[in-house]
Amino acid sequence: MPATETKQPDGITKYLNNGRDFIDEDAIELCLKKAKADPARVREIISKALASCETLEPGETATLLSVEDPLLLEEMYAAAALVKKKVYDNRVVTFAPLYCANLCENNCLYCGFRKDNTSEIRRKLSMDEIRKETEVLAGVIGHKRLVVVFGESRATGADYIAESIRTIYSVKVKTRKGFGQIRRVNVNAAPMSVEDLKKLKTAGIGTFQVFQETYHRKTYADIHPGGTPKSDFRWRLYAMHRAFEAGIDDVALGALFGLYNWKFEVMALLAHAKELEKTFGIGPHTISFPRIEDAAGTDFNRKSAHRVSDRDFKKLVAVLRLSVPYAGMLVTAREKPEIIRDVIPMCTQRDASSRIGIGAYSDRYSAQEAKRQQFMLGDTRSLDEVIGELAALGHITSFCTSGYRCGRTGDHIMKMLKSGKEGRFCKLNAILTFREWLDDFASPATQAAGEKLILREIKEALNSETYNLEMRTKLTGYYNRIKSGERDLCF
Ligand code: SAM
Ligand code: SF4
């Protein structure tokens, strides 16, 4: 039985189609086998993705996955970056993970938190400790958006998660010119019942994120031992269906790449997105594509026959970007800086200054403690360094959380994204929230790079026909008010 809730049988069965779930392994394998990278066909599919912002069909995605020709691949990367620009403009949203507890009843072979890893020090943060972590994240580093992360344990179920969310929202810290506050709390936790998900909804959850890990049933069973809550493949597969039923319409999908054939996982993520679109009229808010990293006490990752090379990683990011054009795409600090630089033009979000030990933001963090975390990070640079680099590459960092708070979620935001209208808000809110961050947190070097970029962005917005006079006037007014210390003004 899942540890965090009372399992209800219809939390799975009512969504099945004649007893079958939506992952048709044979159909996926056949599609991959039949796919041929005919250049004319590939270009046709790229044009479709660029023109329509509609989700691709499985055969189309499989064709893109089969491309090996380096020139054609370059065309795909360029098109994927264009799709990102068209839907989200040149902004990159940053966030940080906040690990609240590592108590876990599961034994996922690849994870440092699995229950058999006795070298892991188990902790569950008190609300006071969560407050302290938040003070550092919102008041010293300057984050506005967090993803709170939990193992799966009865001791850290929905009530604890909901209380954590409320605690985080309650923290307000004085900064150089204004105040810092977390404005959006996303959750990465075990699948839950509708009843438990409603508790998170009431607490003000942003996005509910569950990675399927692998969509391949046999592999899933091999690495999530029977008798543990996580061994129930379908309970996890329908986590997002239950979230929608609970009224949470911002959901995030992901697969842990390196467990099984990466092309299969891309096809399955597409199937999952299409299933949500078909059933609820809304696709995933974001898609994540973490690659397995080394973790304490396991050599599973090194031995895996399905590790994804850097070249294939870039390809999978491009194919996902083109296949589900409206979805946000999240690259994490699991990746090394050079990899992130390479894929960031196709992505919409990244984390920065991340620490994945329990209490690691406010605790003194020794090298010894750093070993006791879920896995090893590839990019440990500060948010300030990351923002400076993004600015130098022409990307504006956005701390915008307004979509969610202005009711632009679910099918509303889907329509806005597909029509390119959300990108208009993205740019303006990126400018406003970047102004806040520069004034409150930037180092002198990042400030200098940031000022150049923000001036360019303002000029672009004020000269663009995309915005009517009212919006342009509002932008200038809000911008000046933020410069004088007001906070949280957005479109
Ligand atoms: N315990 C919850 C669960 O399993 O869904 C949520 C938290 S878990 C800490 C978040 C995600 O970390 C997992 O879904 C998995 O994809 C990822 N993860 C686990 N071990 C990893 C590793 N060694 N390298 C990279 N990512 C890993
Ligand atoms: Fe626990 Fe999640 Fe790690 Fe599995 S991936 S051992 S469920 S924390």
Side-chain angles (χ1 to χ4, degrees):
M1 182 193 284
T4 48
E5 47 66 60
T6 325
K7 190 172 175 186
Q8 301 149 326
D10 73 350
I12 301 172
T13 46
K14 68 193 272 191
Y15 307 118
L16 298 175
N17 188 0
N18 290 326
R20 293 173 69 93
D21 62 53
F22 58 87
I23 296 297
D24 185 339
E25 292 187 3
D26 293 341
I28 291 179
E29 301 288 7
L30 187 67
C31 221
L32 287 171
K33 208 165 134 195
K34 277 180 23 193
K36 276 199 213 81
D38 167 47
R41 179 70 190 126
V42 171
R43 291 195 177 104
E44 226 174 80
I45 298 166
I46 291 176
S47 303
K48 175 180 168 183
L50 277 168
S52 73
C53 272
E54 291 298 332
T55 315
L56 294 183
E57 293 307 318
E60 295 169 330
T61 295
T63 302
L64 296 184
L65 285 169
S66 69
V67 173
E68 291 297 338
D69 172 45
L71 289 177
L72 212 45
L73 278 175
E74 288 305 322
E75 285 181 40
M76 268 167 56
Y77 301 146
L82 265 177
V83 167
K84 143 77 200 294
K85 176 97 171 63
K86 188 173 153 193
V87 182
Y88 289 94
D89 212 278
N90 64 332
R91 63 94 164 129
V92 174
V93 165
T94 50
F95 67 94
L98 170 51
Y99 278 64
C100 295
N102 60 359
L103 313 179
C104 197
E105 295 170 25
N106 290 312
N107 234 336
C108 314
L109 298 190
Y110 45 81
C111 180
F113 289 170
R114 74 195 179 287
K115 70 173 173 188
D116 282 357
N117 182 15
T118 49
S119 69
E120 182 73 26
I121 298 170
R122 304 289 165 173
R123 276 186 75 189
K124 163 188 170 184
L125 294 181
S126 67
M127 290 307 133
D128 210 36
E129 288 170 316
I130 289 181
R131 211 167 286 120
K132 287 202 180 97
E133 292 282 272
T134 311
E135 280 165 6
V136 176
L137 285 157
V140 180
I141 303 173
H143 280 291
K144 300 274 185 274
R145 180 187 291 246
L146 300 182
V147 57
V148 282
V149 185
F150 306 83
E152 182 165 15
S153 162
R154 282 171 183 80
T156 56
D159 292 320
Y160 173 77
I161 297 176
E163 203 187 345
S164 308
I165 296 173
R166 286 197 188 91
T167 302
I168 291 166
Y169 282 136
S170 72
V171 174
K172 198 168 171 179
V173 194
K174 177 103 193 63
T175 54
R176 283 201 301 237
K177 266 182 99 171
F179 62 89
Q181 199 167 24
I182 297 300
R183 299 175 186 159
R184 181 176 176 112
V185 183
N186 300 333
V187 173
N188 185 315
M192 290 175 211
S193 66
V194 174
E195 197 189 337
D196 277 348
L197 285 159
K198 280 184 182 164
K199 295 180 183 169
L200 306 194
K201 169 82 182 163
T202 308
I205 183 178
T207 307
F208 183 56
Q209 184 181 56
V210 174
F211 303 154
Q212 186 61 28
E213 320 300 12
T214 173
Y215 287 88
H216 186 254
R217 286 182 192 78
K218 175 164 184 330
T219 308
Y220 189 93
D222 288 346
I223 57 185
H224 301 108
T228 60
K230 195 159 166 178
S231 62
D232 192 337
F233 176 85
R234 281 183 170 172
W235 181 250
R236 199 166 181 90
L237 193 63
Y238 285 100
M240 297 315 170
H241 287 62
R242 294 191 298 278
F244 277 116
E245 221 180 298
I248 300 173
D249 55 7
D250 255 326
V251 302
L253 307 182
L256 184 55
F257 282 87
L259 301 177
Y260 185 62
N261 174 7
W262 64 271
K263 293 187 180 180
F264 179 95
E265 308 291 15
V266 170
M267 295 291 289
L269 281 166
L270 175 76
H272 201 161
K274 281 178 130 10
E275 161 75 12
L276 296 179
E277 286 176 28
K278 192 180 83 188
T279 316
F280 302 101
I282 313 171
H285 182 68
T286 58
I287 297 180
S288 294
F289 29 85
R291 283 193 285 186
I292 45 172
E293 301 294 337
D294 288 347
T298 173
D299 58 359
F300 176 88
N301 307 336
R302 285 173 189 208
K303 282 193 194 150
S304 170
H306 297 288
R307 287 180 72 104
V308 179
S309 69
D310 292 348
R311 182 176 182 273
D312 288 343
F313 182 69
K314 186 171 179 182
K315 187 155 105 179
L316 81 81
V317 175
V319 174
L320 279 170
R321 171 74 292 155
L322 293 166
S323 299
V324 195
Y326 61 80
M329 302 253 302
L330 243 115
V331 59
T332 71
R334 289 174 179 83
E335 301 297 337
K336 294 195 169 51
E338 59 272 24
I339 302 288
I340 301 181
R341 266 193 294 277
D342 212 19
V343 300
I344 202 77
M346 304 183 269
C347 296
T348 58
Q349 294 193 28
R350 63 156 297 169
D351 56 329
S353 66
S354 301
R355 289 186 166 190
I356 57 173
I358 311 298
Y361 293 104
S362 47
D363 273 5
R364 281 158 58 109
Y365 200 60
S366 67
Q368 180 63 13
E369 279 173 278
K371 284 184 191 146
R372 297 198 195 103
Q373 51 189 16
Q374 194 196 5
F375 47 80
M376 299 303 155
L377 289 174
D379 187 355
T380 52
R381 291 175 302 163
S382 68
L383 178 62
D384 186 79
E385 281 170 278
V386 165
I387 289 180
E389 179 183 276
L390 286 171
L393 294 171
H395 304 287
I396 183 165
T397 302
S398 176
F399 293 89
C400 171
T401 52
S402 71
Y404 151 75
R405 293 179 303 147
C406 300
R408 294 203 302 278
T409 62
D411 64 340
H412 186 195
I413 203 160
M414 281 275 286
K415 282 184 200 132
M416 302 276 290
L417 288 166
K418 285 184 175 179
S419 64
K421 284 190 186 143
E422 182 63 14
R424 293 164 58 201
F425 290 106
C426 286
K427 188 170 206 73
L428 304 183
N429 288 326
I431 291 172
L432 297 176
T433 55
F434 194 45
R435 180 72 267 156
E436 290 183 295
W437 190 86
L438 287 176
D439 287 348
D440 282 341
F441 301 103
S443 67
T446 303
Q447 181 97 35
E451 295 297 345
K452 265 194 222 154
L453 178 71
I454 204 165
L455 283 180
R456 198 190 75 194
E457 295 291 316
I458 292 173
K459 204 167 151 196
E460 203 185 298
L462 294 181
N463 290 331
S464 161
E465 285 176 7
T466 315
Y467 307 106
N468 60 25
L469 183 62
E470 193 193 334
M471 282 178 103
R472 280 181 267 159
T473 312
K474 196 169 164 185
L475 173 68
T476 316
Y478 277 3
Y479 188 79
N480 290 332
R481 282 167 62 187
I482 286 172
K483 277 182 92 171
S484 324
E486 255 188 88
R487 292 288 170 267
D488 208 7
L489 301 169
C490 59
F491 283 85

